[in-house]
Amino acid sequence: MASFSSSPSLLCTLLLFFFFFFMGLQFLTLKSPFHPRDLLPLLPKQVSWPIMNSLYSAVDILPVFVGAASSSSVDDSVQWKGACFYENKAWMEFHNKTKSQFGGGTLHLKVSSAHSFTCLDLYIFATPYRVTWDYYFLAREHTLEFKEWEGKAEYEYVKNHGVSIFLMKSGMLGTLQALWELFPLFSNTGWGENSNIGFLEKHMGASFVERPQPWVTNVSADDIHSGDFLAVSKIRGRWGAFETLEKWVSGAYAGHTAVCLRDSDGKLWVGESGHEDENGDDIIALIPWDEWWDFELTKDDSNPHIALLPLHPDIRAKFNETAAWEYARSMAGKLYGYHNMIFSWIDTLTSNYPPPLDANVVACVMTIWSQLQPEYAANLWNEALNKRLGTKGLGLSEVLVEVQKRGSSFDELLTIPEQDDWIYSDGKSASCIAFVLEMYKEAGLFDSIASSVQVTEFTIKDAYTLNIFENDSSRLPKWCNDGDTVKLPYCQIKGKYRMELPGYNSIQAYPHMNERCPSLPPKYQRTQNC
């Protein structure tokens, strides 16, 4: 690695950078010919990349909703401050240049007051029927042409609600840098693992304290009972990246769950929603403990960290094994619960979205995904949105139009609680945590309030904060946390880093639990009885 003293060109470049930076500070009344961030790509890699990494992160790839342009009047235009241009306005001009039934339109954008001559603003424009993008680096009026609306529905939507405008707040450079931080989250390497750890430390305030070796516990299956909960945290590869993003939006410190069951012969099994079968599909499966544990020890390349959360003896005494097995067998072989996967963490209009996320961004991402992968998108959210509307077969664009016709909004639609008894086209749907809690519900653990608790609304955090687990460390198995200098109130049985579960075993179940709870980072504070 080059040092400042051994690299005159590097030293000169740095001096030049800071000279212009302080020149810009001295002449605040004048527009700087550049911004320090604009020069980062010109600096040597060993200088520019650490700076860029501190300025941008994976979440900067998300667009920011700045407004919707519908009015044909400049005076009623939507206005906002951009990342490059500080004064911007947009308005929609409707026309019929194609002589079609509903015509088309021209979106006018006037951008001015750039903070430098070298910056630009990058935008995404969306209606329920299309998504496009453009970028601007000249201070003037720009236009974006919509030659022809898709039909009456799009025409009426734009006329009443406008074309949604999303700013990529970090510009072209920042977006590329954000992609650079996002990409390694999915990498099944040490680089990917460190990236996931860094993301969670930065955006959640999570800590990763290394445990003393060995990092695997010599588990005795004889000490595991029906209903005992398995919390899993994967930190590399495809599932590691997915879980990292899930943790960020929900506040959970685990990303996957499973449950233990003993059959009539005393054999121990693991029930899991999200087990990959021989065809590569993620399904609900019942797996012998020895097979499941061996896979986690020798074949799971996501570096899973696993904690066993034993039920409290009084709760275990209520656990109806027969009912639990009946439910588990009825769900075995079904696909993982994609239908309700994304809805459990959205309970409020504004207090579940880590910035820069909001309902508009969610709708934008859904629209883009629906165009790229229509069948997959339909499986992820279309049916669930139809359930909330009481409709059938509507595509995403039709859902967005329908909700506006009813005088509601998409963000309100997302907050409608999932119902445990909803039946989708491929049957009941259960994510990993919904499967475990549905089993608990069937096994009698929610007692008299079962009919007023929708466990499909629970996140993983909501589950491990339930006051149903062992609270007397003297009753934990002898091998629990074996060799660790810190004695956790649960049993971590695998993992290099100590698993933390904030709020563990602290909340008594109550009717309509977790249907209206905020979850904003970094503290993820919930209101009482939400």
Side-chain angles (χ1 to χ4, degrees):
M1 180 180 294
S3 66
F4 292 163
S5 60
S6 63
S7 177
S9 61
L10 174 57
L11 179 60
C12 291
T13 306
L14 281 174
L15 290 174
L16 184 66
F17 175 81
F18 286 109
F19 170 77
F20 282 119
F21 177 79
F22 288 112
M23 284 285 289
L25 292 179
Q26 285 186 326
F27 295 96
L28 291 176
T29 56
L30 301 175
K31 181 190 296 184
S32 173
F34 59 88
H35 189 275
R37 290 189 184 186
D38 304 330
L39 291 182
L40 287 176
L42 304 179
L43 295 176
K45 181 178 178 180
Q46 61 264 44
V47 177
S48 63
W49 281 62
I51 298 174
M52 289 161 66
N53 279 325
S54 67
L55 294 175
Y56 305 112
S57 66
V59 299
D60 290 323
I61 196 175
L62 294 171
V64 176
F65 178 71
V66 296
S70 58
S71 175
S72 297
S73 170
V74 181
D75 295 333
D76 295 328
S77 60
V78 58
Q79 301 182 31
W80 70 94
K81 179 181 179 180
C84 171
F85 295 97
Y86 289 168
E87 295 182 12
N88 307 275
K89 61 176 62 177
W91 64 97
M92 174 61 67
E93 174 193 358
F94 292 90
H95 60 65
N96 197 354
K97 296 177 182 178
T98 59
K99 307 299 181 183
S100 58
Q101 184 176 2
F102 300 104
T106 301
L107 180 64
H108 296 264
L109 293 100
K110 188 173 183 180
V111 302
S112 59
S113 300
H115 68 63
S116 80
F117 293 141
T118 55
C119 66
L120 60 82
D121 273 339
L122 179 65
Y123 288 98
I124 294 174
F125 307 95
T127 78
Y129 296 85
R130 70 182 81 203
V131 176
T132 188
W133 67 280
D134 207 348
Y135 62 92
Y136 308 109
F137 60 87
L138 294 178
R140 62 177 178 83
E141 183 179 318
H142 302 267
T143 59
L144 184 67
E145 198 68 31
F146 297 84
K147 292 183 179 180
E148 188 172 319
W149 305 119
E150 289 291 323
K152 183 179 180 181
E154 185 178 28
Y155 167 72
E156 291 290 345
Y157 184 94
V158 174
K159 188 175 180 180
N160 293 315
H161 304 286
V163 173
S164 295
I165 304 172
F166 299 88
L167 169 69
M168 305 301 291
K169 65 175 184 177
S170 50
M172 190 75 74
L173 171 64
T175 301
L176 291 174
Q177 177 60 22
L179 279 170
W180 181 255
E181 189 183 67
L182 181 67
F183 172 76
L185 297 181
F186 294 85
S187 173
N188 200 1
T189 62
W191 177 40
E193 181 173 310
N194 291 334
S195 297
N196 280 284
I197 290 173
F199 185 99
L200 295 171
E201 288 176 333
K202 179 177 181 179
H203 296 288
M204 285 186 68
S207 59
F208 288 82
V209 179
E210 189 170 327
R211 305 164 67 215
Q213 294 196 48
W215 297 326
V216 176
T217 299
N218 186 20
V219 177
S220 173
D222 294 339
D223 296 320
I224 301 176
H225 306 275
S226 285
D228 286 353
F229 187 100
L230 291 162
V232 184
S233 180
K234 304 184 179 187
I235 56 176
R236 67 193 297 176
R238 174 173 65 100
W239 277 109
F242 172 79
E243 289 188 15
T244 289
L245 299 175
E246 177 191 9
K247 293 167 187 173
W248 174 54
V249 298
S250 69
Y253 277 63
H256 183 55
T257 59
V259 64
C260 299
L261 272 179
R262 286 198 181 274
D263 63 20
S264 56
D265 296 326
K267 183 178 179 179
L268 184 63
W269 296 72
V270 173
E272 180 180 36
S273 178
H275 176 78
E276 186 173 320
D277 67 9
E278 61 274 8
N279 299 318
D281 295 323
D282 297 311
I283 64 168
I284 297 173
L286 296 169
I287 312 154
W289 166 265
D290 291 340
E291 180 182 325
W292 184 87
W293 183 230
D294 179 69
F295 175 83
E296 297 303 333
L297 291 179
T298 63
K299 300 175 184 177
D300 192 340
D301 56 9
S302 65
N303 192 5
H305 287 52
I306 304 173
L308 176 75
L309 283 50
L311 290 179
H312 189 280
D314 294 343
I315 300 296
R316 185 181 302 128
K318 298 178 182 179
F319 191 87
N320 186 327
E321 278 187 345
T322 302
W325 271 106
E326 185 176 343
Y327 169 76
R329 290 191 177 105
S330 73
M331 297 296 289
K334 295 185 183 297
L335 291 175
Y336 176 84
Y338 290 108
H339 297 295
N340 51 37
M341 175 184 65
I342 67 171
F343 293 95
S344 61
W345 60 274
I346 304 177
D347 294 341
T348 68
L349 295 179
T350 59
S351 299
N352 296 115
Y353 302 101
L357 274 179
D358 64 13
N360 293 292
V361 174
V362 171
C364 178
V365 171
M366 285 183 174
T367 301
I368 295 171
W369 206 332
S370 295
Q371 293 187 2
L372 296 176
Q373 296 283 345
E375 293 184 3
Y376 191 50
N379 191 38
L380 275 174
W381 48 69
N382 282 6
E383 276 199 77
L385 293 173
N386 274 271
K387 291 284 188 185
R388 285 160 172 76
L389 279 173
T391 54
K392 288 186 177 181
L394 297 185
L396 179 63
S397 57
E398 296 166 312
V399 165
L400 293 172
V401 170
E402 179 65 23
V403 75
Q404 297 292 347
K405 284 181 180 178
R406 298 187 183 188
S408 185
S409 62
F410 187 65
D411 48 358
E412 287 183 277
L413 185 67
L414 293 175
T415 65
I416 295 175
E418 181 85 5
Q419 302 297 301
D420 293 350
D421 60 359
W422 279 350
I423 306 296
Y424 290 90
S425 59
D426 52 1
K428 291 195 73 173
S429 186
S431 63
C432 65
I433 191 57
F435 173 72
V436 175
L437 294 180
E438 278 277 18
M439 182 185 293
Y440 283 179
K441 194 174 180 180
E442 293 294 327
L445 298 195
F446 287 93
D447 294 333
S448 59
I449 65 170
S451 61
S452 58
V453 173
Q454 306 301 328
V455 297
T456 43
E457 277 292 298
F458 282 50
T459 65
I460 293 175
K461 177 186 177 182
D462 297 330
Y464 66 64
T465 57
L466 279 172
N467 185 19
I468 60 174
F469 301 107
E470 180 61 82
N471 60 3
D472 185 347
S473 59
S474 68
R475 290 196 294 252
L476 292 174
K478 292 181 179 179
W479 44 260
C480 185
N481 301 306
D482 189 26
D484 198 343
T485 54
V486 174
K487 302 303 179 184
L488 298 171
Y490 39 83
C491 305
Q492 182 167 348
I493 57 178
K494 187 180 186 300
K496 176 180 179 180
Y497 303 102
R498 189 169 294 118
M499 292 179 68
E500 52 182 337
L501 303 175
Y504 171 70
N505 203 24
S506 62
I507 302 176
Q508 188 71 31
Y510 56 86
H512 303 290
M513 185 176 185
N514 298 318
E515 293 183 6
R516 292 289 182 265
C517 290
S519 59
L520 289 177
K523 295 184 178 180
Y524 298 96
Q525 292 177 333
R526 72 194 308 274
T527 53
Q528 189 174 8
N529 295 325
C530 59

